[in-house]
């Protein structure tokens, strides 16, 4: 299957370190050679880069590593095609406008019966189950909320509805999701998602998929908070926390704002010593 990478930060932050390890899984240390993409929200704007070729050999991916784009929210995806041809139109992340904002989405997994999901406001450009599910999901949110929810109670209703819709899609198969609107990052776990939050005092981290280490204390301030979410942990000397199947987390500024469907805590940590939660 595909793999996901996301970031939420309280200050504009580059994701070069995490992305360097992630891109090696796209045809290098992993089998995800059918395309990749990355999207950045920055200063009220949005830009993305997509390529239907393996990320480990992509000049565009190397550009991202060498050009530190600073962003508060990032979504990235490497693809192992199951449904749909290997082509640019089927390459994640996908984006649509809703309430005057660009909504970005990436999916890991495979669904059955997805073509029967009724579409309303949005239509897919490619022919994947992932994009069809995205169009259905946004259409359902927009049908229930014709205007952008502003009040805190309305936002909570939106988040609860999003969780319900994700659960419905999880009933069709594997549905791990990253979704963002420029203000919030939403992560939904069907089978695999892990996260880590880095904050002061910052320490060192080393990648699992590349010979690269960084001391975050040399690149941050005491007030920085950066959270990274990935299908599998990207570092081998840190403690990542796994999400529970059916769990939706709502992130803003690197901090979890709300959670739905969380399972009781157990031995779900990965690594040496459990971190506080909240990279880069």
């Amino acid at each position: 299957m595909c793999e996901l990478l996301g970031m939420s930060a309280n200050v504009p932050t580059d994701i070069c370190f995490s992305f360097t390890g992630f891109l090696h899984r796209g045809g290098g240390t992993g089998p995800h050679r059918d395309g990749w993409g990355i999207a950045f929200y920055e200063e009220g704007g949005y830009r993305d880069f997509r390529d239907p070729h393996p990320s480990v050999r992509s000049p565009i991916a190397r550009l991202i590593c060498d050009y530190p784009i600073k962003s508060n929210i990032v979504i990235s995806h490497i693809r192992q095609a199951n449904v749909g041809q290997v082509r640019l139109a089927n390459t994640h992340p996908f984006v649509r406008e809703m309430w005057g904002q660009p909504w970005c989405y990436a999916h890991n997994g495979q669904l059955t019966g997805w073509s029967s999901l009724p579409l309303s406001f949005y239509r897919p450009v490619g022919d994947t189950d992932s994009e069809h599910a995205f169009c259905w999901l946004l259409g359902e949110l927009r049908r229930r909320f014709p205007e952008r929810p502003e009040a805190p109670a309305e936002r909570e209703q939106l988040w609860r509805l999003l969780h319900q819709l994700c659960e419905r899609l999880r009933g069709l198969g594997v549905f791990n999701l990253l979704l963002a609107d420029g203000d919030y990052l939403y992560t939904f776990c069907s089978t695999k998602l892990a996260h880590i939050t880095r904050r002061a005092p910052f320490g060192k981290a080393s990648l699992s998929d590349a010979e690269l280490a960084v001391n975050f204390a040399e690149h941050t301030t005491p007030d920085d908070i950066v959270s990274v979410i990935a299908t599998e942990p990207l570092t081998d000397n840190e403690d990542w926390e796994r999400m529970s199947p059916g769990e939706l987390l709502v992130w803003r500024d690197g901090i979890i704002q709300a959670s739905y469907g969380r399972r009781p805590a157990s031995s779900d940590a990965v690594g040496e010593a459990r971190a506080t939660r909240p990279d880069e």
Side-chain angles (χ1 to χ4, degrees):
M1 291 188 184
C2 311
E3 289 203 21
L4 303 170
L5 170 65
M7 185 189 78
S8 172
N10 69 336
V11 293
T13 305
D14 75 71
I15 198 171
C16 295
F17 175 72
S18 295
F19 184 67
T20 297
F22 188 63
L23 70 84
H24 276 77
R25 297 179 179 179
T29 59
H32 314 89
R33 61 181 68 252
D34 298 323
W36 68 276
I38 188 168
F40 302 88
Y41 288 91
E42 45 184 320
E43 299 180 345
Y46 170 93
R47 59 173 152 180
D48 63 28
F49 302 83
R50 295 185 297 147
D51 188 353
H53 304 292
S55 59
V56 72
R57 297 195 300 271
S58 171
I60 303 175
R62 289 197 295 272
L63 168 67
I64 302 302
C65 292
D66 295 337
Y67 177 38
I69 298 173
K70 294 187 180 295
S71 174
N72 291 84
I73 298 176
V74 177
I75 288 180
S76 187
H77 179 277
I78 50 177
R79 185 178 183 222
Q80 185 178 14
N82 291 305
V83 178
Q85 298 175 339
V86 178
R87 61 190 183 109
L88 187 60
N90 290 334
T91 305
H92 304 225
F94 303 109
V95 62
R96 296 290 190 279
E97 178 274 334
M98 184 166 70
W99 309 322
Q101 295 174 289
W103 284 68
C104 176
Y105 156 102
H107 162 232
N108 154 244
Q110 190 171 357
L111 306 176
T112 59
W114 53 272
S115 60
S116 64
L117 293 170
L119 301 180
S120 52
F121 300 99
Y122 302 97
R123 294 289 188 275
V125 176
D127 54 0
T128 65
D129 53 347
S130 300
E131 190 182 14
H132 188 105
F134 176 41
C135 292
W136 174 80
L137 182 68
L138 277 195
E140 291 298 295
L141 293 177
R142 184 173 166 182
R143 185 171 61 83
R144 172 72 179 274
F145 295 93
E147 302 294 332
R148 177 183 176 183
E150 298 290 352
E154 291 180 325
R155 284 199 297 270
E156 184 176 351
Q157 292 174 10
L158 171 70
W159 298 344
R160 291 187 180 278
L161 175 60
L162 176 60
H163 181 243
Q164 294 168 8
L165 297 173
C166 288
E167 284 282 61
R168 179 173 172 184
L169 290 168
R170 184 165 76 109
L172 302 180
V174 177
F175 187 74
N176 300 296
L177 162 141
L178 298 183
L179 177 71
D181 60 9
D183 294 320
Y184 297 94
L185 172 68
Y186 307 94
T187 62
F188 179 78
C189 177
S190 175
T191 54
K192 286 183 181 181
L193 271 181
H195 58 88
I196 186 170
T197 300
R198 301 188 182 112
R199 63 201 325 167
F202 292 94
K204 298 180 179 180
S206 59
L207 293 173
S208 305
D209 299 87
E211 294 185 5
L212 181 64
V214 65
N215 184 354
F216 288 112
E218 300 174 354
H219 306 278
T220 55
T221 73
D223 297 326
D224 292 0
I225 302 175
V226 186
S227 295
V228 170
I229 303 93
T231 300
E232 291 287 355
L234 292 164
T235 57
D236 55 17
N237 68 327
E238 295 181 293
D239 190 29
W240 292 66
E241 183 175 348
R242 292 197 183 277
M243 292 179 62
S244 300
E247 182 180 13
L248 173 73
L249 297 179
V250 181
W251 303 82
R252 186 169 191 174
D253 295 336
I255 298 173
I256 296 173
Q257 306 294 313
S259 65
Y260 302 90
R262 182 185 292 274
R263 302 298 186 266
S266 59
S267 57
D268 58 351
V270 181
E272 296 177 355
R274 196 175 189 102
T276 52
R277 247 192 204 150
D279 167 75
E280 230 43 270

